[in-house]
Amino acid sequence: MKRSGRVAGVYIAGGDNFQTSAVDVMPLTFAGIEGDHHCGITRRSGGREPWYRRGTEIRNERQLSIVAPDELAEIAAAMEISEVRPEWIGGNLLIEGVPRLSMLPAGTLLFFEGGATLKVDFQNGPCRLSGRSVARNAGLADIEGAALLFAKTAKRLRGLVAWVEKPGRITAGEAVSLRIPEQWIYQP
């Protein structure tokens, strides 16, 4: 199945912080976004991979975080705040025009006009770290309460993580076409 959308924003996380800042152009290599906090062909395992001892070197399938404006608005409404910005939760790509973006299956390919291709690994699970960032940026008094609320309300709306299948560059405003793989439900 094919779909298309548009890149509404590109963002890079420089330094030690996962929060991102808007840029005009996002250069991609096989390691991910040049200069980004999550750049690397491999990464260290953490709480999302309990089957490995923390710190084990594994493939970096989380090179980019992709979010959608309609889903961010839905999270904000559920949290009763005016907005949730991609930068607050470490979003690298804001893609509009793709309904239910967070529900795209693993293996979906995203082809960008600038030549880059990304491959979706899976949904990006909401965490309290991002929730704390939302709370601080939205000026909420109860940081921990808001962090828990974000983790609850952002489930299946937090976007996707992807890795670079073909290097290139991505710019705001360019078109993106998607190839969604055949889907089935495994039944043993």
Side-chain angles (χ1 to χ4, degrees), residues 61-82:
E61 79 294 358
R62 303 179 63 81
Q63 292 175 339
L64 290 97
S65 171
I66 306 168
V67 295
D70 56 329
E71 292 177 340
L72 294 178
E74 194 173 333
I75 295 167
M79 292 183 70
E80 299 180 354
I81 57 177
S82 63

Side-chain angles (χ1 to χ4, degrees), residues 16-39:
D16 294 332
N17 193 331
F18 75 94
Q19 289 189 47
T20 54
S21 298
V23 294
D24 294 326
V25 178
M26 177 185 293
L28 298 172
T29 68
F30 284 116
I33 306 166
E34 292 179 18
D36 187 77
H37 177 71
H38 290 101
C39 188

Side-chain angles (χ1 to χ4, degrees), residues 9 12 35 41 43 73-74 84 107 119 127 141 164 168 174 178-179:
I12 295 177
I41 292 176
R43 67 179 179 88
E74 194 173 333
V84 173
K119 191 163 200 171
C127 65
V164 177
E174 74 179 79
L178 290 73
R179 277 192 194 249

Side-chain angles (χ1 to χ4, degrees), residues 184-188:
W184 57 89
I185 298 176
Y186 173 76
Q187 295 181 351

